[in-house]
Amino acid sequence: MHGFLLTQLLTGLASAAQLFLLAAGLTVIFGVTRVVNFAHGALYMLGAYLGYSLITRAPPTPLGFALGALATAGAVAALGAALEIGLLRRLYRAPELFQLLATFAVALMAEDLTQRLWGAEDLALPRPGFLAAAVRIGAARFPLYDLVLIGLGPAVYLALLALFRTTRWGVLVRAATADRDMLACLGVDQRWLFTAVFALGAGLAGLGGALSLPDATATLQMGFSSVTDAFVVVVVGGLGSLSGAALASLLIGLLQAFGIALVPRSTLVLVFVVMAATLMLRPHGLLGRAPGETGGAAAAPDLIRPATPALRALALVALLAAIALPFLAGPFLLSVATEALIALLFAASLHLMMGPGGMASFGHAAWFGLGAYGAALAALALRAPLPLALVMGMLLAGAVAALFGLVVVRLAGVYLAMLTLAFAQIVWAGAMQFEEISGGDNGLLGVWPPRWLQGPIGFYVLALALCVGGALVLRRALQAPFGYALRGARDAPQRAAAIGLDIARLRWAAFTLAGAAAGLAGALYVFAKGSVFPTYLGLGRSVDALLMVLLGGVGTMSGPFVGALVYTGLYDALLLATDAWRLVLGAAIVAMVLLFPDGIAGAVARRVRA
Amino acid sequence: MLQVERLCSFYGRAQILHDVGFAIAPGSVAVLLGRNGAGKSTVLKSLIGLVPPQTGRIRFETADIAGLPPHRIARTGIGYVPEERRIFAELTVAENLETGRRPPRPGLAPWTAARLFALFPALAELRRRPAGRMSGGEQQMLAIARTLMGNPRLVLLDEPGEGLAPLMVRQIEVAVRALREEGVSLLIAEQGPAFARAVADQVLVMEKGAVVWSGTHAALDADAPARRRYLAL
């Protein structure tokens, strides 16, 4: 038992060191630039791939390995600097969401390019003697390399502390964190400070990626899985706090080591419980602080006005066209149209949260997927008829959103975005892991609507009624006192509280409503496709929703309608025609963020008003 | 040393400054007087580049600086001490001074932490204290000292005495005189004439975003209608 404890302790410390190397760069970058770098995982992945190429070319000695890892860190740091100069510099004053989205796009492109350069196969580093060596500790044998990591984690932590505490550069960086404009008035060109910080953070990610090689393989999926881990560590530790990241790495690393050993398969739940508990007690993480004024100048959002007669007429024409569609279109077009309708409800539910609710979610697919799994399980396991299955899917998503909402609605901005993402990833991993319920990677198959609804026309009509109806209900809610109160709470929380609005409850209600609506969309989607897979919960689908909302424009009521239709159309027409869809999609997002920051409907509205 | 011509600045779409023009001679102290909202702070922010002017010329020594980013303007030798002081609260006093340090300039004795501690003795004992845990007056001294570390030839001071105890205001007055003796020029924005009277060579009176009166203190004393019109509350 004694030996078991010691081995688990050391295993936990080694994984804590790995986690810290992964998360340190993210928190450093956020602390200074206030940018949540979604591409951090991609940089980590690049570190692993580049590290593989460099280390396998170096002599198989400890020195060769160390030099290879350092050269990797340098190369990834240079990439980070290029990313900062080329993209992020233009976005420092933009809303946080755009920075997240732009760096997400970079991550997509990096994944595509990595696959082109290194191939789709996982790469495992050969293990020469010094990497495979083990040390006897009591009765157990422990890998020597993990002991080295246990020493390296704290060494990097102390070196970073010294850099920020004792050097002139560190003093300037800390000053820039607090007040960049004042620092500029003292003659310091803070742009280069930011570039350097970004390069430092990227270099740390690259180092972490290279150092992960002896224990793991380089895979294309590691980018997005590692960024989730890094988000969890950074959110638990407190955004921007280096010591917080160290503490959180230690906590999570040890919990996982002991959790796996005691209750296998408990790790996902454990991580989530740690995160939820921390944020309930300390909404800004263990050592984090309440965010002060952010760098971006928050422009007052445009007022939402009732639809003009022209817009109403247009909407009526669109609705009539949608009703007439079964008489005009063939089965393929109808099934595409059905998907577009489901996308519309999904986008409208996210828009409710993000626009008027002011809560950006990067994990909205969680509710879509929960609705989908709920409906599929109801239909398969309980033999529920379609209407009941739809309701059960919606209720499952709504109920989980209501529970999760209790934790998150007190958070704001990037914390919320990161936490929703982490939650969705955990649900996704759960769907992969608990095969006996969810079917794992194979999903659940054979969920079809009853005979009278089979065939594209019947289901199209059902989707039209439920999705347009649902979206209109959400729209109506926003024009009711509930919607006014919600927008008031978003724009001026203190004033809203002062006139007696219960902000947390308002946001919770919006969160739950959005979750339930997304769940209904997911439940419908299952019956449209006949099956459900973990990808329904995946990051890709969350980003689809985000893109639809942003494409349409967050600040307009017709945004989700326009965005969902345009996006589904584009996706089917354009992206499926190329195998480089991640590259195209990433480039399109970057272009959109830089060129149309207020979306299509927003740009049109601006044009009309001017 | 500083010539400002037909300066127009905006916050968003609102025009704040309307054709502001004035000049400051080397080694002199000018005071911008005017009521709250007259545009004094905006003049200083336009000069340092925080509010880039839409039109107009700003000539400092031999350089045209209108439209340059703040760090480039600061490097030409202009120092700025904002009204809110904006000290870096989590940095110590010594670290705050470090953020302002720039290379020496020919013709000026370079400022060092030691010389500044002599000018502001109260700061010397607080070297290692986080700047956020100091009194308002101490923070004001630190803000001035931090700017001086850049060895500026012209210092823009925005309401340095605001909200401070009379004793502290006295100390800042002493420091301003000491600076003039070093050959540093100053442009000080103030609401009340008392501080100005104590230190200024030249008075510029602002109202509604324009300089409406300029001259010496004696001339302002003699011009009762102007005082009533522009300065009386």
Side-chain angles (χ1 to χ4, degrees):
Chain A
M1 191 61 202
H2 199 72
F4 164 78
L5 278 182
L6 187 64
T7 324
Q8 290 312 316
L9 178 69
L10 289 175
T11 310
L13 288 177
S15 67
Q18 297 259 25
L19 273 178
F20 177 72
L21 287 174
L22 166 65
L26 185 67
T27 209
V28 163
I29 289 174
F30 178 84
V32 179
T33 65
R34 301 284 140 184
V35 169
V36 176
N37 179 21
F38 215 124
H40 198 74
L43 294 169
Y44 185 77
M45 173 188 72
L46 279 174
Y49 276 89
L50 265 176
Y52 176 86
S53 294
L54 292 174
I55 293 169
T56 47
R57 278 173 182 73
T61 62
L63 184 66
F65 178 83
L67 288 179
L70 283 177
T72 305
V76 178
L79 275 175
L83 179 62
E84 198 274 347
I85 294 170
L87 181 63
L88 288 160
R89 223 174 237 199
R90 299 159 208 279
L91 294 176
Y92 284 134
R93 307 217 178 240
E96 289 156 344
L97 191 65
F98 283 75
Q99 300 160 354
L100 273 168
L101 209 63
T103 50
F104 172 82
V106 171
L108 272 182
M109 290 193 276
E111 202 178 292
D112 195 297
L113 291 173
T114 305
Q115 183 175 356
R116 269 156 218 283
L117 286 171
W118 279 279
E121 303 270 308
D122 295 357
L123 299 178
L125 196 67
R127 286 164 69 95
F130 71 95
L131 282 179
V135 190
R136 281 200 87 75
I137 299 176
R141 287 168 56 77
F142 193 76
L144 178 64
Y145 180 73
D146 283 4
L147 283 182
V148 173
L149 280 181
I150 292 174
L152 208 57
V156 169
Y157 169 64
L158 291 176
L160 286 172
L161 272 193
L163 181 66
F164 285 113
R165 292 284 141 198
T166 60
T167 65
R168 171 173 165 87
W169 185 82
V171 169
L172 293 181
V173 165
R174 277 154 59 216
T177 306
D179 189 343
R180 23 188 126 153
D181 286 342
M182 186 63 231
L183 193 64
C185 290
L186 294 170
V188 178
D189 187 355
Q190 19 93 4
R191 285 176 308 167
W192 292 106
L193 279 182
F194 282 23
T195 307
V197 166
F198 214 90
L200 174 68
L204 284 168
L207 183 68
L211 292 179
S212 77
L213 281 172
D215 285 340
T217 52
T219 70
L220 290 169
Q221 293 78 42
M222 71 191 288
F224 284 112
S225 65
S226 66
V227 83
T228 308
D229 292 345
F231 277 9
V232 170
V233 169
V234 167
V235 165
V236 168
L239 271 171
S241 163
L242 195 61
S243 300
L247 202 60
S249 304
L250 212 55
L251 185 68
I252 293 171
L254 289 175
L255 264 177
Q256 276 186 334
F258 285 101
I260 287 191
L262 298 174
V263 190
R265 303 213 300 187
S266 67
T267 53
L268 285 173
V269 182
L270 257 182
V271 168
F272 185 69
V273 168
V274 170
M275 199 164 66
T278 311
L279 292 175
M280 293 275 251
L281 298 173
R282 296 188 57 89
H284 302 290
L286 293 174
L287 301 182
R289 249 172 265 184
E293 167 214 17
T294 47
D302 282 333
L303 289 176
I304 294 179
R305 299 185 179 84
T308 57
L311 191 61
R312 280 164 202 261
L314 194 67
L316 195 64
V317 170
L319 187 63
L320 288 176
I323 293 171
L325 197 65
F327 304 106
L328 307 172
F332 174 72
L333 197 59
L334 267 186
S335 76
V336 170
T338 306
E339 278 189 43
L341 286 168
I342 293 170
L344 165 64
L345 180 59
F346 187 35
S349 70
L350 179 61
H351 172 262
L352 171 80
M353 266 181 70
M354 243 171 81
M359 300 177 279
S361 166
F362 264 64
H364 207 55
W367 319 120
F368 185 88
L370 281 170
Y373 273 98
L377 287 171
L380 293 175
L382 306 177
R383 309 217 159 272
L386 175 126
L388 189 61
L390 290 182
V391 169
M392 287 181 76
M394 188 167 84
L395 283 183
L396 177 69
V400 178
L403 275 179
F404 182 63
L406 292 177
V407 182
V408 297
V409 291
R410 287 188 302 147
L411 306 176
V414 287
Y415 272 93
L416 191 95
M418 290 164 86
L419 200 63
T420 47
L421 169 76
F423 180 74
Q425 288 299 92
I426 288 166
V427 177
W428 172 80
M432 294 289 278
Q433 216 175 47
F434 292 92
E435 280 176 23
E436 57 278 24
I437 300 174
S438 66
D441 210 4
N442 298 323
L444 300 169
L445 307 176
V447 192
W448 294 108
R451 184 146 304 159
W452 58 275
L453 270 178
Q454 268 174 15
I457 296 184
F459 199 76
Y460 172 79
V461 172
L462 178 73
L464 181 65
L466 288 178
C467 293
V468 173
L472 288 177
V473 167
L474 294 181
R475 190 184 156 91
R476 179 70 188 84
L478 291 178
Q479 287 162 341
F482 168 71
Y484 300 152
L486 194 63
R487 296 205 308 263
R490 172 196 65 187
D491 294 339
Q494 287 178 339
R495 270 175 264 171
I499 61 167
L501 296 175
D502 186 342
I503 295 178
R505 247 187 87 166
L506 275 170
R507 286 162 55 107
W508 175 80
F511 195 89
T512 307
L513 184 61
L520 178 61
L524 275 168
Y525 197 70
V526 176
F527 284 102
K529 294 281 166 182
S531 49
V532 55
F533 301 102
T535 51
Y536 287 22
L537 291 154
L539 193 53
R541 192 161 298 269
S542 295
V543 170
D544 286 348
L546 269 174
L547 285 176
M548 288 187 271
V549 171
L550 290 174
L551 200 61
V554 187
T556 59
M557 292 290 274
S558 31
F561 291 82
V562 178
L565 294 182
V566 171
Y567 184 74
T568 318
L570 272 185
Y571 198 90
D572 284 352
L574 195 128
L575 297 181
L576 296 181
T578 159
D579 68 332
W581 66 272
R582 285 170 301 193
L583 204 59
V584 175
L585 185 59
I589 299 174
V590 169
M592 192 186 86
V593 164
L594 292 177
L595 300 178
F596 297 107
D598 47 3
I600 297 175
V604 171
R606 204 174 27 165
R607 186 65 55 86
V608 169
R609 236 173 289 141
Chain B
M1 105 170 313
L2 179 76
Q3 281 109 36
V4 178
E5 289 165 25
R6 304 186 66 81
L7 193 68
C8 295
S9 291
F10 291 72
Y11 281 131
R13 282 189 210 162
Q15 184 166 5
I16 306 298
L17 299 185
H18 301 266
D19 292 328
V20 167
F22 61 90
I24 297 175
S28 73
V29 177
V31 169
L32 276 174
L33 277 183
R35 296 191 189 98
N36 210 357
K40 305 181 298 286
S41 291
T42 310
V43 169
L44 301 191
K45 285 182 182 160
S46 296
L47 292 177
I48 194 64
L50 282 180
V51 178
Q54 201 111 336
T55 57
R57 255 166 64 102
I58 306 172
R59 196 164 179 80
F60 176 65
E61 294 185 327
T62 56
D64 277 313
I65 58 166
L68 292 182
H71 71 270
R72 298 266 310 274
I73 295 177
R75 286 175 190 183
T76 63
I78 299 184
Y80 169 64
V81 183
E83 187 179 356
E84 327 83 70
R85 299 166 197 139
R86 291 169 85 162
I87 47 124
F88 302 116
E90 292 177 18
L91 273 56
T92 63
V93 167
E95 286 173 337
N96 265 281
L97 293 181
E98 176 66 25
T99 61
R101 183 165 65 82
R102 309 287 318 163
R105 267 169 229 285
L108 276 178
W111 288 100
T112 59
R115 278 188 70 208
L116 287 166
F117 289 143
L119 185 65
F120 298 108
L123 291 181
E125 290 150 35
L126 304 172
R127 240 169 265 230
R128 290 174 181 283
R129 173 163 320 176
R133 286 198 270 129
M134 303 199 308
S135 74
E138 288 160 351
Q139 292 190 2
Q140 182 66 61
M141 289 183 215
L142 176 60
I144 297 174
R146 179 182 64 179
T147 295
L148 290 177
M149 284 295 281
N151 300 307
R153 291 183 204 278
L154 168 67
V155 175
L156 314 174
L157 276 181
D158 199 352
E159 309 224 6
E162 198 202 13
L164 299 187
L167 194 66
M168 284 292 181
V169 178
R170 265 303 290 157
Q171 289 197 37
I172 288 168
E173 237 177 76
V174 170
V176 166
R177 278 180 221 276
L179 287 181
R180 182 167 49 179
E181 263 156 50
E182 294 273 339
V184 176
S185 313
L186 290 109
L187 175 60
I188 305 171
E190 266 298 334
Q191 283 191 45
F195 188 83
R197 177 182 307 279
V199 295
D201 302 309
Q202 183 194 3
V203 179
L204 304 158
V205 179
M206 286 194 74
E207 191 182 58
K208 291 184 183 157
V211 174
V212 289
W213 192 97
S214 71
T216 62
H217 249 291
L220 186 60
D221 284 345
D223 192 347
R227 281 207 314 275
R228 222 177 8 255
R229 189 157 161 214
Y230 302 124
L231 299 172
L233 291 173

